[in-house]
Amino acid sequence: MNIQGGNFVGSLIHERKPGYTLPAELYTSQDAFEVDLEIFFRRHWIVAGVEADVPEPGDIKTLEIGKTSIIIARDDDGRLQAFHNVCRHRGARLITEHKTSVGRLVCPYHQWSYDLDGSLVYASQMNNEIDRSCHSLRPVHIRSIAGLLMICIDENAPADIDDFEKLATPRLLPFGLAEAKIAHEEVLIEEGNWKLSVDNNRECYHCEGSHPELCRTLNGLDIGFDPGALTEEQLEEWNKHSAEVVQETARWEAAGFPSSLIEEITGRTTMLRTQRFVIAESGESHTMDSKAASKRLMGEMPEFRMGDTHMHTHNSWHHFFADHAVVSYIIPLSPSRTELRSLWLVHKDAKEGFDYDLNNLITVWKATNQQDADLVKLAQQGVETTGYVPGPLSRHVERLVDLNLNWYIERLRAAGY
Ligand code: 3BY
Ligand code: FES
Ligand code: FE
């Protein structure tokens, strides 16, 4: 255990009762924050964007994970690269913008220049003094899962990214994400611990009360609902919905699009949950009228009624439709602040104002994100007071919250806490 405050965190995770939310300090303390950053954002694979973030050679984007700054670049051969944003001379930060485009990475301090594959090509005045081949930018693991970018900062990246890739690729590939473009990008700072953002995302218990726009098209029963011992009325709704899900899943799968539930969480470092959901009404997209927002189909989508391919990892959640996709991922900023970045993707040739109306494209998820941010803030306000004690999770509608929190505890234990 090499992280400060590790023993305190260790005692907290032993206190957590399955079926309940976490002890307060796991959501509020600086110690838990440091441990979380190290374990879940440096040693785990995290979602870090999409290929469309860096579509052309020379395009770069940066990402801040605590004090660690990472550059993701597309090199001259079109390959994805990731490095520490730290010059190999005296350590200056190389790139200060979130996104930019460069021919080479030139350090602002003494102008050491690096190729987009990270190799040092020129060190003014010192070119003959040093072995340039020993001073490449320090690499970070990066992988594109059919267009979704995953990085791992730790040198010993978990190997189960291979399983993740095998499972996720057939789901994502038909959406042609690698050739999509970003139609809109939005950053929300949620005033809550990152785990409260994730807890909130793993249930639809709150949907009816908070998401009028999303509830037009998303059926909350799809979010890990467990029918267990329900009333007859609830059971009737569940049975009706399940029948439709079975029928549509069979139709999509017969057409060659895997759709049934994959829930690989417990026992994994790189978690994945995905399923193609049925969209209500016209069945096309998460828009106010449920119709496709973009006239251009994504990738190899054969038609608009292709449902909602929902996917989540421990730091992200995604919805892939036939006409567009919404990719959201979080990075913790402090114990009580979390950055949520959402990207709306459309086919690269889709033209704004002609193929899609931007406002129509983003209305549902823009509203949903803000509603969720408001809820996360309320939850953080509560857990920060002495009035908070861990509360019980419903086994019908909060099964995934419990599963996720169990996973969180399990990963910390696996790391020696
Ligand atoms: O759809 C999502 O990604 C999550 C799950 C339930 C509500 N929510 C916004
Ligand atoms: Fe980068 Fe000197 S610190 S060139
Ligand atoms: Fe929500």
Side-chain angles (χ1 to χ4, degrees), residues 86-94 106-114:
V86 179
C87 181
R88 291 296 308 275
H89 176 221
R90 275 165 52 200
R93 179 156 294 192
L94 291 165
V106 180
C107 180
Y109 204 167
H110 316 92
Q111 290 75 46
W112 279 29
S113 319
Y114 303 86

Side-chain angles (χ1 to χ4, degrees), residues 1 6-7 10 13 39 410-417:
M1 211 171 324
N7 290 333
I13 68 166
I39 304 299
E410 168 201 297
R411 295 331 305 159
L412 287 177
R413 289 211 166 117
Y417 289 94

